[in-house]
């Protein structure tokens, strides 16, 4: 009887668990518009107002969203756009063009992409795009024709904005900003970048045309807020189907947030980096551990995840080396100390190794030179040792951390 | 096609110099012979005759009367002309002064002073007829619309006047003289003005027929107003550039021309000519064509031949002549009728030929290989047109047969016929008359591809050239500004065009005077305008142009053409040529081709045209290694007849000295102007004038913005942007619908937002280990005394700092990622990461800033 009961509970639990996995993974993996925004309400309002004015009043603008990697620039923009699209007047009135500096590596490609996204290639007909010059003239003509009150506003989103700056003459940026500063089709140019010196990269005439509207996304929260974010990110929503399970889960999360070990884990991560993306990674690892037999997250889960996440890669490699390879590394370390970081070659390492063998002959098997050579090459492949630019076999010891193990 | 294109046209004087001027070393002549190698025809044009002159647009040649012909010291052949204006050359707003419809055949006696009337002889195309009429007289209906023009009134740039009796009689006189010329020159093939006259007479006789004719010619006319000029134009092009572009070739060789029934007509005629008439020597070109044609078409045209073996040569020729007339739709129908009455056996032959023609018309699309898919639709439309036309011809002829009992033919035409028979020279004339419609057809095929704006043919697929790109319209109307702040924001947007440009009055006046004086003198010149960004260079220049255009409308200055290019909006400096040419004439060609065309346009004296004002924005972008683009741009205005005024705009004052070669800088000249950055008072004035009556700002707030910007850059754009941001902040702050004006606090916040250093706040918001890493860098710098360290060294410092704080020290991987994160923000300058711990690190900000940012905690 009891067996049967437990089976039933397992099956209901199984459903719940898969639900939990689904909800939380969606929240943690997709960095757009599902979760909440933390600490950037001000920026959110600023951007929302800006885009609203573009769409409703037809006002041209340009702005940059600047913030370190993983600080939620794209999430901010996606949130704003999602909320904007809920206004009916905006939804039908906005053309969106998304470019990415990593994909549109030069202006020619970017122009083609813009034309495609604006669906202007239908006008061009079946003709394959002409030269770069024709294309530019075509697009400029298209944008020049419009005016503030009658044309549909266009929103240009330039991701990895700093890469556009390196395009030849900054033609694309000049033209986009020039349109945004003249009485043509209303456009708003939003750039996303993590570089703080972005303004210094502009050519002066491009800089003059940029409106200097910079929206900084900084991770400006303290540890208390960080823990709160952790709690909110893990908590199940109110509309979760199984209420009792949700309550149990949420209670557990509440319990975790005051747990000492969990706080230590979070503290060390917080000290390491403040961006929310790494927190999401950590939680993701922990959530993946949840199974039917292990329905709730425990403090040790988080600890394990933290260990996994902040693993020292080089040390790990050294852990997996053979005795001979470790001996070679020790020999190299010795050489490194003797010659104060000067590069050395295989023969020197081999001689050092021979000396070591002679001293400890009783516990170490003497390998032949080709075998040692092979081991040395393996270390090269693992990039624990690195050849110097000169095409000799000279090599410099690259790793120190590994030697502390 | 190509061989024909490359034939030269030779201009030589007719007769001996009539008079000479020792001092000027000029020799005057009374006529000029234009010899074309291709057709081996020579035309003689004498003083007083009317001619067509090549214009900048090949479609629109100018009409003029030759007043003088002379050769100057440098052996250049010159002509002095009296211009006639076509209606299209008269400004749009003046056309309504006429208060009547103007036929395309009507021209106006030109008394505008601005045009240069000394032209190069090489621009003369051919002679035409200009007949003076009294103002009340109706335009007679004529056929040869390309060659006859009428003049009723004169045009002096301001208003239309009736011709004075003096000029009227002079023009009459000139006409009579023109008529007389051909008769006296038997060795030359004269322009068949007389025959044209006869044509007109005949037309007057049979009105019903002309109507049919009219329809056809009218449809053709728009495209082929000056076939010869087109041909010449393309010849020039072919001569000028040794390797014509591939596309061009394709067009020329493309078989789209073949299905033209007209071409078939005359080709078949030539073919018939060959078959019937072995005595008359044919032109080489015609012979060539024949070979080509039989190759393609095979036997059909030869079908009617065998029956006619018995016919005498003269008979055949006669028939041929008549037949040509019918197919040309000229009013020689009567001839056909006559011949039909006379020799009934020919009737059936005529029919067979026509059938054959029709067959050809329908066959040709099958025979001609299709290489260009895009043309297919167009051509098929054309073919359909042609076939229907052929049908019309046939029905016309049938009508004629029915009414042939009248026998209404003129004796004059008979005379002419006999003329044709006796003199072999006239044979060439006949063939020449064929060749005219042939060439006149060419542009009608080419125009849709060449000039995008003329899409007269229905069913022509839209090519990207004439596509009108447009951003979709918005579905909801843009909201009007509701509050005062919104209104202010709208006015403060850089794109808003203010009523006036304050603070640039002096510069405005200087530029205005410069351009105006050049316009009035009808000369060219350059002006170089420099200034840092946002000082109103482009805005001022545009304002000047706007004012001048206004003035031109009021006739204060001569009319001019205004074009603008921007170096930043070009992908390549050489694209400048393409854009200028396109803006001037609407042609789209390659860069090298455009350069030659522009050079021709600006450097050859002659064709009358308006002065061109060219604005070259962002001049420094037009720099190339050889600087040929800049050189050409600044060289053209120095040419005597260029009439080109260039206003070059760039940022740097010493651009000519810095990047230009001496020969370019010297051509740019010394007319320079530099726009100083705005002072705070000027900025204040700019904002106030923009705001006008909208009271949205405190006076002090405006002053603060102006002073701040003036101290930094003097960039008006920046100033306006700050004000706009301030209104937003103000709106943001006052949520409770209480109207508020922008105060000092708001402006200060906006300024801080725009100018604050982002680094300090970035460091303050960094994570603890990132901050420690920065501290470790500082410590390492202090220890080593060098502002550069490897990650390894910094790592050691980092660990010792952590120990001091009693914190867990991070792993190497952690340190590496911290380092790369700081590098991505450009707080640090980091080498490429493949060196791992040996990678070198530098600070991107001053040590003091880092200290300051870290100390406060």
């Amino acid at each position: 009887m009891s067996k049967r009961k437990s089976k039933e509970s397992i099956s209901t639990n199984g459903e719940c668990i898969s639900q939990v996995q689904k909800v939380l993974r969606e929240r943690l993996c997709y960095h757009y518009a599902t979760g909440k925004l933390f600490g950037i309400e001000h920026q959110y309002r600023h951007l929302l107002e800006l885009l609203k004015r573009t769409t409703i009043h037809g006002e041209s603008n340009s702005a940059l969203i600047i913030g370190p990697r993983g600080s939620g620039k794209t999430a901010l923009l996606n949130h704003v756009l999602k909320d904007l699209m809920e206004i009916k007047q905006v939804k039908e009135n906005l053309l969106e063009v998304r470019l990415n500096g990593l994909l549109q590596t030069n202006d020619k490609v970017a122009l083609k992409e813009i034309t495609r996204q604006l669906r202007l290639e239908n006008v061009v007909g079946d003709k394959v795009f002409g030269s770069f010059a024709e294309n530019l003239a075509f697009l400029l003509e298209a944008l020049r024709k419009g005016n503030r009150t009658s044309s549909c506003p266009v929103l240009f989103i330039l991701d990895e904005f700093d890469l556009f700056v390196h395009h030849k003459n900054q033609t694309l940026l000049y033209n986009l900003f020039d349109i945004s500063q003249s009485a043509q089709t209303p456009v708003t140019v939003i750039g996303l970048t993590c570089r703080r010196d972005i303004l210094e990269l502009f050519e002066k005439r491009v800089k003059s045309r940029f409106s200097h509207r910079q929206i900084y996304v900084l991770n400006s929260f303290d540890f208390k807020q960080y823990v709160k974010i952790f709690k909110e990110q893990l908590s199940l929503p109110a509309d979760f189907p199984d209420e009792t399970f949700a309550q149990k889960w949420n209670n557990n999360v509440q319990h975790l947030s005051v747990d000492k070990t969990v706080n230590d884990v979070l503290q060390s991560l917080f000290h390491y980096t403040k961006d929310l993306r790494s927190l999401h990674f950590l939680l993701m690892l922990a959530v993946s551990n949840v199974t039917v037999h292990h329905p709730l997250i425990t403090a040790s889960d988080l600890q394990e995840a933290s260990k996994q996440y902040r693993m020292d890669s080089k040390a790990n490699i050294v852990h997996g080396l053979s005795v001979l390879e470790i001996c070679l590394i020790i020999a190299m370390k010795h050489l490194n100390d003797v010659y104060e970081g000067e590069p050395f070659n295989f023969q020197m390492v081999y001689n050092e190794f021979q000396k070591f063998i002679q001293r400890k002959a009783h516990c170490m098997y003497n390998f032949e030179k080709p075998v040692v050579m092979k081991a040395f090459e393996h270390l090269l492949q693992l990039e624990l040792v690195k050849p110097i630019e000169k095409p000799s076999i000279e090599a410099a010891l690259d790793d120190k951390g590994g030697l502390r193990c | 096609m190509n061989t024909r294109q490359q034939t030269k046209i030779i201009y030589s004087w007719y007769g001996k110099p009539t008079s000479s001027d020792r001092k000027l070393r000029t020799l005057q002549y009374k006529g000029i012979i234009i010899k074309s190698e291709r057709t081996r025809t020579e035309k003689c044009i004498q003083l007083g005759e009317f001619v067509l002159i090549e214009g900048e647009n090949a479609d629109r040649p100018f009409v003029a009367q030759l007043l003088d012909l002379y050769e100057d010291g440098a052996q250049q052949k010159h002509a002095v002309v009296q211009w006639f204006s076509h209606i299209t050359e008269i400004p749009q707003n003046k056309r309504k002064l006429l208060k009547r419809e103007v036929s395309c055949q009507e021209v106006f006696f030109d008394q505008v002073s601005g045009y240069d009337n000394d032209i190069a002889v090489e621009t003369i195309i051919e002679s035409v007829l200009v007949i003076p009429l009294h103002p009340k007289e109706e335009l007679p209906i004529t056929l040869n619309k390309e060659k006859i023009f009428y003049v009723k009134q004169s045009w002096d740039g301001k208003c239309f006047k009736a011709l004075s009796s003096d000029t009227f009689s002079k023009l009459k006189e000139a006409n009579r003289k023109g008529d007389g010329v051909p008769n006296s020159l038997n060795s030359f093939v004269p322009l068949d003005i007389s025959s044209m006259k006869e044509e007109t007479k005949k037309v007057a006789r049979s009105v019903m027929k002309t109507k049919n004719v009219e329809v056809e010619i009218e449809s053709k006319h728009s495209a082929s107003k000056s076939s010869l000029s087109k041909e010449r134009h393309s010849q020039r092009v072919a001569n000028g550039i040794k390797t014509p572009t591939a596309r061009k070739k394709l067009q020329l060789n493309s078989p789209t021309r073949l299905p033209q029934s007209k071409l078939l007509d005359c080709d078949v005629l030539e073919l018939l000519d060959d078959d019937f008439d072995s005595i008359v020597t044919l032109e080489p070109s015609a012979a060539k064509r024949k070979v080509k044609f039989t190759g393609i078409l095979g036997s059909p045209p030869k079908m009617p031949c065998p029956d006619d073996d018995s016919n005498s040569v003269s008979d055949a020729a006669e028939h041929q002549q008549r037949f040509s007339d019918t197919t040309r739709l000229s009013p020689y129908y009567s001839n056909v009728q006559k011949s039909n009455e006379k020799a009934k056996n020919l009737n059936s032959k005529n029919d067979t030929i026509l059938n054959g023609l029709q067959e050809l018309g329908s066959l040709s699309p099958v025979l001609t290989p299709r290489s260009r898919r895009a043309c297919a639709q167009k051509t098929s439309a054309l073919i359909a047109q042609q076939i229907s036309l052929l049908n019309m011809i046939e029905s016309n002829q049938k009508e004629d047969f029915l009414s042939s009992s009248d026998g209404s033919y003129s004796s004059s035409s008979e005379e002419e016929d006999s003329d044709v028979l006796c003199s072999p020279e006239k044979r060439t004339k006949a063939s020449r008359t064929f060749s005219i419609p042939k060439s006149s057809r060419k542009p009608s095929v080419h125009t849709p591809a060449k000039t995008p704006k003329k899409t007269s043919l229905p069913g022509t697929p839209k090519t990207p050239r004439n596509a009108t790109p447009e951003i979709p319209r918005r579905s909801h109307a843009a909201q009007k500004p509701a509050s005062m702040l919104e209104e202010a924001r709208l006015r403060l947007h850089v794109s808003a065009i203010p009523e006036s440009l304050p603070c640039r009055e002096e510069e405005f006046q200087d530029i205005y005077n410069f351009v105006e004086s050049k316009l009035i003198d009808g000369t060219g010149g350059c002006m170089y305008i420099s200034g840092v960004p946002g000082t109103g260079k482009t805005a001022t220049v545009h304002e000047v142009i706007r004012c001048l255009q206004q003035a031109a409308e009021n006739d204060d200055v001569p009319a001019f053409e205004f074009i603008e290019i921007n170096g930043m909006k070009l992908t390549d400096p050489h694209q400048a040529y393409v854009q200028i040419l396109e803006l001037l004439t609407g042609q789209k060609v390659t860069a090298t081709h455009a350069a030659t065309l522009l050079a021709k346009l600006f450097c050859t004296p002659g064709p009358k045209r308006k002065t061109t004002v060219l604005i070259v924005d962002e001049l420094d972008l037009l720099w190339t290694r050889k600087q040929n683009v800049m050189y050409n741009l600044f060289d053209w205005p120095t040419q005597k007849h260029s009439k080109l005024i260039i206003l070059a705009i760039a940022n740097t004052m010493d651009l000519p000295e810095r990047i230009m070669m001496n020969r370019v800088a010297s051509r740019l000249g010394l007319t320079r102007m530099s726009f100083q950055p705005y002072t705070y008072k000027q900025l204040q004035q700019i904002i106030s004038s923009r705001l006008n009556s909208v009271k949205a700002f405190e006076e002090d707030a405006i002053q603060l913005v102006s002073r701040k910007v003036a101290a930094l850059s003097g960039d008006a754009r920046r100033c306006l942007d700050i004000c706009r941001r301030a209104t937003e902040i103000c709106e943001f702050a006052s949520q409770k619908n209480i109207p508020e004006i922008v105060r000092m606090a708001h402006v200060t916040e906006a300024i801080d937002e725009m100018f604050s250093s982002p680094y300090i706040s970035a460091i303050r918001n960094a994570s603890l280990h990132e901050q420690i890493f920065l501290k470790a860098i500082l410590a390492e710098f202090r220890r080593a005394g060098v502002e550069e360290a490897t990650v390894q060294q910094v790592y050691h410092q980092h660990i010792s700092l952590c120990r001091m704080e009693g914190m867990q020290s991070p792993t190497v991987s952690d340190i590496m990622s911290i380092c790369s994160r700081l590098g991505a923000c450009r707080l640090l300058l980091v080498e490429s990461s493949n060196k791992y711990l040996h990678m070198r690190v530098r600070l991107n900000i001053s040590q003091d800033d880092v200290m300051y940012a870290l100390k406060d905690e």
Side-chain angles (χ1 to χ4, degrees), chain B residues 456-475:
Chain B
S456 51
L457 282 172
T460 311
K462 270 200 172 181
T463 51
R465 304 262 168 71
N466 57 14
T468 48
E470 204 178 348
I471 301 294
R473 305 186 79 75
R474 52 189 302 152
S475 46

Side-chain angles (χ1 to χ4, degrees), chain B residues 241 574-582 587-601 636:
Chain B
I241 303 167
H574 295 279
Q575 288 291 324
Y577 298 130
V578 180
Q579 290 233 329
I580 295 172
L581 190 73
E582 200 192 338
Q587 288 167 288
K588 261 205 165 180
V589 289
T590 58
T592 42
H593 188 179
T596 44
L597 286 179
L598 284 173
K600 192 194 122 203
L601 186 66
W636 291 330

Side-chain angles (χ1 to χ4, degrees), chain B residues 501-512:
Chain B
L501 278 177
C503 314
R504 287 290 179 223
E505 288 85 6
E506 226 170 271
E507 285 85 354
F508 174 86
Q509 206 53 49
D510 282 358
I511 300 173
Y512 188 92

